[in-house]
Structures are given as C-alpha cells and as structure tokens.
Amino acid sequence: MTLRSQVAGCGAYLPERIVTNHELAGRLDTSDEWIRQRTGIGERRVAAPGELTSDLAVRAAERALSNAGMKGSDLDLLVVATATPDNTFPATATKVQARLGMRRGAAFDVQAVCAGFIFALSVADNALRLGQARTALVVGAETFSRILDWADRGTCVLFGDGAGALVLRAVPAAAPGGRFILSNHLHSDGRQYDILYVDGGPSSTRCTGFLRMEGREVFRLAIQHLSSVVDEALAANDLTASDIDWLVPHQANSRIIDGMGRKLGLSKDKVVVTIERHANTSAASIPLAIQAAVEDGRIQPGHLVLMEALGGGLSWGASLVRW
Ligand code: ACO
C-alpha cells in the first residue's frame, strides 16, 4: 500500500517575555521606525533565564499532541529542527522524547537553520512514506537570543525565540480527499557558508559563538532561491500559483515575504505573516505561523498550503501540503 503523511495536529509556544523595538532602541543605536520599515518586525519573545530550547519544544509538542488527540506514547518518530540545541550533544530531541513519555522509535535533531523545519518535515515524511514510522512529531524550536551579539544592531534586532510543532500520521495515498504532504524540495549551496553563520562551535573555538550575517547578500539570494524552489514545488505537482490557498513563508523579513507573494500573484490576505509579533524565530517560524492561521480558522482541511524557507548554509526548501 502506498503511504503518505497527513497532518494530524499542530501547536506552538512562545516565551512570556516580550522585547519591543522601543526597548531595543533604549540600549542600541536603532529605532522602531528603522526596524519596522526594513523588516516588518515590531517585537520578539525572549526565553527566560534557564528556559531552554527543549522547554519551548516540549510545550509546543504537548499542544500539538493534544490538538491531534494523541499522547507522546503514540509517537514512533520525533524530529526536532534547531540550530540552538540545549547541548552540543545529545540531540535536543532525545530530551523532548523523554519528557513526552515517548518510549519507542527514534528521536534526533535536524540542522538547516531557518530552513530546518522544511528539512525536518521532509525527513519525517520520507520515513512515514517508507513505513519506517506510523506517527511522527516534527518540532521547530529555537532560542536565538542565546547566540545573538546584543551589541550588533545589524543582527540582534531581527531574531526571537519560540517553538512550533506538527503531528503527522501515515495514511493510504488512495484515501479520499488527498489530504497529505504532496512533496518536499530541499537544496543547499555550501559556497555561501560565510554570509550567514555563527562564529563559534565545539570543533572551531569551543565557544558557542555569535550569529554573523551579510544581510544584503542573504536578502538577494533568498529572493532568487525561494522563487526557484516554489516554481519547482508547483511544477512537480502539476499545480499553478492560483491553486494555492495559503502561502506560509519563513518569517525573516516582510520585504522578502511580500516579494514572494507578488511573484506568485497572491493577494496579501493569502499570505500568513507573523513577523510583526514573532520576528525571525528560525526553524520555529513556519510552525508558529501555521498555528496562528489554523487557530483563527484561516487554514481549513482540504486547503493547499505552500511553505518555503531559506537559512544559513545556505539551505532552502519548500513543502506543499493538502491540509
Ligand atoms: N538600526 C538602525 N540602522 C541599522 C540597523 C538597525 N538595527 N542595522 C543596520 N543599520 C544600518 C547599517 O549600519 C547601514 O548604515 P550605513 O548605510 O551608514 O552603513 C544601513 O542601516 C543599511 O544597512 P543594510 O544592512 O544595508 O540594510 P538592509 O536594507 O540590507 O537591511 C536587513 C538589513 C534587514 C538585515 C536585510 O538585509 C535582511 O533582511 N536580509 C535578509 C535576512 C534573512 O533573510 N535572513 C535569512 C534567514 S536567517 C537564518 O538563517 C538564521
């Protein structure tokens, strides 16, 4: 029997502390106006001292499981997308696994920075299609506040902390409605390694390091690669942009998001945008945006949802899902 992955539930979690642009302008040479105009960001969440990526992941995962009517013990695959793991090893996913009461199957992390959620979704989808797992949890969770140089106004204003999760279950491809992940499309180009990276790590400096970015170059390549990967995803499924009900883009910059909406000819009300309140939460941004649009009733069963993201590596990808 041919199997596919159906979305069974979603959930998200944001730390309590809100840091507004005005608060940042009180300690840096920046302004609410500059940040809003260049990025669309108004505020971001920052994890409390001692609140770790795994804590955010567990809260989002519990909500997604509850939304799916499942328990941790029902899962047989757990994939956490993160660039800010609790420890260098073991995988943050194993800590989440233990706290969810999941006692079988595999739990591991996937690292593709801001594209991490698409990469993790693809890994889980492949496992379900192959029959290696029947129920999977895919989590995007980040505490970027811990790797920001808070004296660098060019980067620290852009990011926030958060987590989001999707539960997937294997269903027969022939099931009526065709409600499952249609396809995932992944790409990387390591030649651009040094335009978006963290200047530390266990093998290079033994320190965690801080995020460094050539924003303008990342911006240029993001438009180019994301345009190409959404075309690839639509063509692979014999679909056109007019078939899309919702574009759920990675939330890095409202100008990139608007550019992608325009390229696809989608009206603004078909694009899910959460950057104003969440900023860029890296691997968590897509599931956080999904949760917002499911919760308020925009995304409905049967809708065609296109997700796309680009991050450090560079790595980028797109997923098409019939919800
Ligand atoms: N407040 C005020 N001024 C600032 C700030 C700030 N927070 N940050 C930079 N500036 C200044 C710069 O110093 C520069 O001043 P100068 O002209 O006197 O030298 C000026 O603003 C313009 O700087 P640019 O970096 O050229 O500004 P740009 O318009 O490119 O916007 C931004 C910067 C927002 C970072 C944009 O380039 C961007 O969004 N890039 C893409 C980011 C992205 O997509 N990342 C992908 C994923 S992230 C991940 O994978 C972890």
Side-chain angles (χ1 to χ4, degrees), residues 151-278:
D152 176 15
R153 67 177 183 172
T155 54
C156 77
V157 303
L158 305 174
F159 296 91
D161 299 339
L166 288 189
V167 179
L168 303 177
R169 66 170 157 238
V171 294
R179 292 180 48 223
F180 43 69
I181 296 175
L182 302 183
S183 63
N184 305 291
H185 303 267
L186 309 182
H187 295 274
S188 301
D189 186 344
R191 289 173 299 173
Q192 281 96 36
Y193 175 88
D194 59 353
I195 63 169
L196 177 50
Y197 70 109
V198 168
D199 62 4
S203 178
S204 55
T205 63
R206 286 180 281 162
C207 303
T208 307
F210 294 112
L211 183 147
R212 306 293 175 202
M213 177 168 77
E214 287 177 36
R216 198 161 276 197
E217 187 59 3
V218 175
F219 191 101
R220 187 182 70 77
L221 289 165
I223 298 276
Q224 184 184 312
H225 291 318
L226 291 172
S227 296
S228 136
V229 79
V230 299
D231 286 346
E232 179 187 327
L234 290 169
N237 294 283
D238 281 329
L239 293 166
T240 65
S242 62
D243 295 309
I244 299 168
D245 292 298
W246 298 105
L247 173 65
V248 184
H250 168 51
Q251 312 282 315
N253 184 307
S254 56
R255 291 183 290 149
I256 297 176
I257 295 171
D258 291 348
M260 291 306 297
R262 272 198 306 277
K263 180 211 147 38
L264 291 165
L266 296 176
S267 62
K268 281 199 167 191
D269 59 0
K270 294 275 180 197
V271 184
V272 180
V273 184
T274 55
I275 191 166
E276 202 269 335
R277 286 178 298 119
H278 299 172

Side-chain angles (χ1 to χ4, degrees), residues 2-321:
T2 307
L3 294 169
R4 293 296 181 91
S5 313
Q6 185 174 71
V7 177
C10 62
Y13 174 75
L14 288 165
E16 272 175 33
R17 173 145 157 66
I18 297 173
V19 175
T20 63
N21 293 343
H22 292 292
E23 182 178 337
L24 291 179
R27 39 183 151 111
L28 282 167
D29 182 13
T30 189
S31 65
D32 178 57
E33 190 194 5
W34 191 98
I35 300 170
R36 280 185 190 272
Q37 269 183 6
R38 300 288 177 123
T39 70
I41 297 166
E43 61 188 41
R44 72 285 296 139
R45 301 295 181 109
V46 172
E51 190 177 30
L52 307 184
T53 293
S54 62
D55 298 318
L56 275 49
V58 167
R59 300 288 285 270
E62 285 171 343
R63 289 174 183 181
L65 285 167
S66 158
N67 183 245
M70 290 184 196
K71 299 190 295 292
S73 53
D74 296 325
L75 296 169
D76 41 24
L77 177 65
L78 169 55
V79 188
V80 174
T82 189
T84 46
D86 290 8
N87 297 87
T88 301
F89 80 80
T92 297
T94 54
K95 235 176 171 179
V96 177
Q97 180 196 28
R99 285 174 60 187
L100 293 178
M102 176 185 164
R103 297 286 177 264
R104 61 168 197 268
F108 55 89
D109 292 355
V110 159
Q111 219 281 44
V113 205
C114 295
F117 191 75
I118 301 283
F119 278 59
L121 194 66
S122 175
V123 167
D125 180 34
N126 289 341
L128 264 57
R129 283 182 188 234
L130 284 171
Q132 290 175 331
R134 294 176 55 83
T135 314
L137 179 69
V138 183
V139 186
E142 304 277 19
T143 47
F144 260 50
S145 60
R146 306 268 155 74
I147 54 163
L148 295 175
D149 175 353
W150 286 98
D152 176 15
R153 67 177 183 172
T155 54
C156 77
V157 303
L158 305 174
F159 296 91
D161 299 339
L166 288 189
V167 179
L168 303 177
R169 66 170 157 238
V171 294
R179 292 180 48 223
F180 43 69
I181 296 175
L182 302 183
S183 63
N184 305 291
H185 303 267
L186 309 182
H187 295 274
S188 301
D189 186 344
R191 289 173 299 173
Q192 281 96 36
Y193 175 88
D194 59 353
I195 63 169
L196 177 50
Y197 70 109
V198 168
D199 62 4
S203 178
S204 55
T205 63
R206 286 180 281 162
C207 303
T208 307
F210 294 112
L211 183 147
R212 306 293 175 202
M213 177 168 77
E214 287 177 36
R216 198 161 276 197
E217 187 59 3
V218 175
F219 191 101
R220 187 182 70 77
L221 289 165
I223 298 276
Q224 184 184 312
H225 291 318
L226 291 172
S227 296
S228 136
V229 79
V230 299
D231 286 346
E232 179 187 327
L234 290 169
N237 294 283
D238 281 329
L239 293 166
T240 65
S242 62
D243 295 309
I244 299 168
D245 292 298
W246 298 105
L247 173 65
V248 184
H250 168 51
Q251 312 282 315
N253 184 307
S254 56
R255 291 183 290 149
I256 297 176
I257 295 171
D258 291 348
M260 291 306 297
R262 272 198 306 277
K263 180 211 147 38
L264 291 165
L266 296 176
S267 62
K268 281 199 167 191
D269 59 0
K270 294 275 180 197
V271 184
V272 180
V273 184
T274 55
I275 191 166
E276 202 269 335
R277 286 178 298 119
H278 299 172
N280 181 348
T281 56
S282 183
S285 93
I286 287 179
L288 272 163
I290 285 172
Q291 171 61 25
V294 167
E295 197 171 279
D296 65 19
R298 277 178 287 172
I299 296 180
Q300 291 287 333
H303 279 173
L304 185 67
V305 177
L306 173 63
M307 312 172 202
E308 41 86 343
L310 173 135
L314 294 179
S315 287
W316 65 99
S319 297
L320 259 176
V321 183

